Amino acid sequence: MREKPRRSLRRLLATAIPALALGLAGLVAAPAHAAPAATHTTRTAQNAKALTSPERQTFHSTGKAGQKVPTTHLCATAAPGHASCFAQRRTDIKQRLASAVAAAAPSGLSPANLHSAYNLPSTGGSGLTVAVVDAYNDPNAESDLATYRSTYGLSSCTKANGCFKQVSQTGSTTSLPTNDTGWAGEEALDLDMVSAVCPNCNIILVEANSANDTDLGIAENEAVSLGAKFVSNSWGGSESSSQTSEDTSYFKHPGVAITVSAGDSAYGAEYPATSQYVTAVGGTALSTSSNSRGWSESVWHTSSTEGTGSGCSAYDPKPSWQTDSGCSKRMEADVSAVADPATGVAVYDTYGGSGWAVYGGTSASAPIIAGVYALAGTPGSSDYPAKYPYSHTSNLYDVTSGNNGSCSTAYFCTAGTGYDGPTGWGTPNGTTAFTSGSTSGNTVTVTNPGSQSTTTGGSVSLQISASDSAGATLTYSASGLPTGLSISSSSGLISGTASTAGTYQVTVTAKDSTGASGSTSFTWTVGSSGGTCTSSQLLGNPGFESGSTTWTASSGVITNSSSESAHAGSYYAWLDGYGSSHTDTLSQSVTVPSGCKATFTFYLHIDTAETGSTAYDKLTVSAGSTTLATYSNVNAASGYAQKSLDLSSYAGSTVTLKFSGVEDSSLQTSFVLDDTAVTTS
């Protein structure tokens, strides 16, 4: 066979830079095409699929909670009478244009991650409008938003299809404010987060002429006059004695959910977050966890000058719905969401930034909560929706760890059970806490049945028990059930015949008509019925010594080149390693006998020229449409390491095992495989 060309381990500057320049020129020169209007039904179905598809659930971690990461604050500290935007962009993670990211997913939390973390519905928001109020103009707002949404599979949201509108503080669509690179990054963050949480919503971007309080206030009023029932504000400044008059002039809009960032300077009150008419949104660090929720949160705080804001207002009166006893005036915050740049969100910005980046700050949490309000539905016409979470505290995830500084009254700056300043009553657990109501909200409790076991061919009948605090009717759903079993949506009875041996992680959820839900998780082991499985190795040509026999591979993947080394023998499979945008695949179909447990093993060696903790180049291992494992340049190490993946759930079926290596535009990563096997027992 012909030996594949030796792959360069150096960055291919001679070819990458001209190619990128041509790509940018193409982006500038490409004519704009008006997107056809999509029906709400079509949009809703597309967005629901994007938010629930397994391939979009991967969390591309960029740091640990509370980790001090380098950022740039997009706006300068505000002078009196002015506001500063609170967006922060990571500077330790390389910004990349969409054309350079190729098939690799951007770093940072995705829409699907946010929906998972906050238990949000994949539908809702159709026909409703969320406004984003910021200062100055972002000339790339619409095109950057289009890239963000298309990357994550969300429906188009443009001026042409009526989903997006960009106006000045007077409502003009043609006479917009002057451009500003700092505020443009803020606007990109805000638009992306509203889209992530409520992709079916329409969006209005209202741009104030400047960052002074009066212009921003006029823009606030314009957003409401244009019909928005949800308005996000990711900016603020120091409190002043004039703020109560600004309350009346700009923020007193009954029937409108107005969210405001709590600030990024750690403990200390900021305005307009302390307005009595708005929802003050604090910030958390959000991390994956092995708990039943799958996520955990703590107060965002990285230094004495960086973290979520909170505190007791010096001027604004306490609204009737706020009952904490330590602060006689308005207390900040009410609720919270992710803000820590170390656990930040993915954002696309090409005017203030250079493409995909990871952002943080309470500038992220305010538009997230605005989107959650929109998912919950139109507020009561005479309500100030900031009061809603106080009536549904059991429908929030209580954040109980961390602080944002030192203070004389503990809960002003330290998280604890129940209400606290940095995180309010907590973070969204569905949308119930953001709907109107005068009770404490329904609570759904699902009883854990404990670990279950059965054998293949065994008949199953397991009744799940659940209760609703208001006695409401419940509907049931389950994920991860053993093959052959299903749950009755009306009764919660799990029944059927288990057909495939394996260990399953099952989660059962019960939900009432108000949106309140509860869930429980347990392990279900399905064993072989005995005596039916013969131990064997199922893959053909497992060590590649017969070249491409039985394997389907990209050109040059199976090789005996001396540039890399085999684990054993002479041949191995080498995916990627070109230092340019490239995808290699390697696959083989295998039939796993019924009643067998099966294990997929292989030896993997990864070397790379990439540096840092960002996954630029990825190797995905899949069985059919299911991702079994993902490796990246971050996992590079000397020598081979054996990997082991369970295929027992595929007993009795034929499945295609596939390796897919995706490399970005620069700096090589080589994924080298050898000595594969699928063994049964």
Side-chain angles (χ1 to χ4, degrees), residues 237 239-240 243 247 260-261 268-278 280 310-317 319 329-332:
E239 288 199 301
S240 73
Q243 68 189 51
D247 279 353
V260 179
S261 298
E270 303 223 11
Y271 186 81
T274 52
S275 167
Q276 61 182 307
Y277 301 117
V278 310
S310 70
C312 183
S313 174
Y315 305 101
D316 250 73
K329 294 188 180 296
R330 170 70 159 115
M331 185 67 195
E332 173 192 3

Side-chain angles (χ1 to χ4, degrees), residues 4 14 204 227 238 261 270 296 375 400 426 516 580 624 676:
K4 69 167 62 174
I204 302 175
S238 301
S261 298
E270 303 223 11
S296 64
L375 289 176
T400 59
S580 60
T676 64

Side-chain angles (χ1 to χ4, degrees), residues 48 60 78 80 114 144 173 178 190 302 332 377 429 431 433 451 460 466 483 499 522 560 599 629 651 653 672 675 677:
H60 299 276
L114 293 173
D144 285 350
T173 59
T178 57
D190 295 343
T302 50
E332 173 192 3
N429 179 4
T431 60
S451 297
V460 169
T483 306
S499 62
F522 54 95
N560 62 353
T599 304
S653 62
V672 187
D675 294 332

Side-chain angles (χ1 to χ4, degrees), residues 170-366:
T170 62
S172 173
T173 59
T174 56
S175 180
L176 299 175
T178 57
N179 298 342
D180 184 273
T181 56
W183 280 87
E186 175 63 67
E187 292 176 24
L189 169 59
D190 295 343
L191 296 175
D192 289 356
M193 290 307 96
V194 171
S195 288
V197 173
C198 190
N200 299 319
C201 286
N202 296 329
I203 305 175
I204 302 175
L205 172 59
V206 185
E207 299 175 325
N209 292 341
S210 75
N212 72 46
D213 293 349
T214 300
D215 283 342
L216 285 164
I218 292 171
E220 195 80 12
N221 289 339
E222 181 63 25
V224 177
S225 71
L226 291 172
K229 296 298 182 183
F230 316 93
V231 185
S232 174
N233 305 272
S234 294
W235 43 266
S238 301
E239 288 199 301
S240 73
S241 58
S242 64
Q243 68 189 51
T244 52
S245 64
E246 291 182 15
D247 279 353
T248 303
S249 298
Y250 306 130
F251 298 104
K252 190 176 182 180
H253 293 289
V256 179
I258 299 175
T259 63
V260 179
S261 298
D264 292 358
S265 301
Y267 176 63
E270 303 223 11
Y271 186 81
T274 52
S275 167
Q276 61 182 307
Y277 301 117
V278 310
T279 300
V281 185
T284 66
L286 175 66
S287 306
T288 55
S289 172
S290 59
N291 61 22
S292 59
R293 176 188 173 191
W295 302 85
S296 64
E297 287 178 279
S298 57
V299 175
W300 169 43
H301 183 220
T302 50
S303 72
S304 60
T305 58
E306 183 178 284
T308 184
S310 70
C312 183
S313 174
Y315 305 101
D316 250 73
K318 198 173 197 69
S320 60
W321 35 262
Q322 196 172 55
T323 58
D324 61 295
S325 59
C327 172
S328 62
K329 294 188 180 296
R330 170 70 159 115
M331 185 67 195
E332 173 192 3
D334 300 312
V335 291
S336 50
V338 61
D340 189 347
T343 64
V345 297
V347 173
Y348 193 74
D349 171 32
T350 60
Y351 188 71
S354 302
W356 286 108
V358 175
Y359 280 59
T362 52
S363 277
S365 55

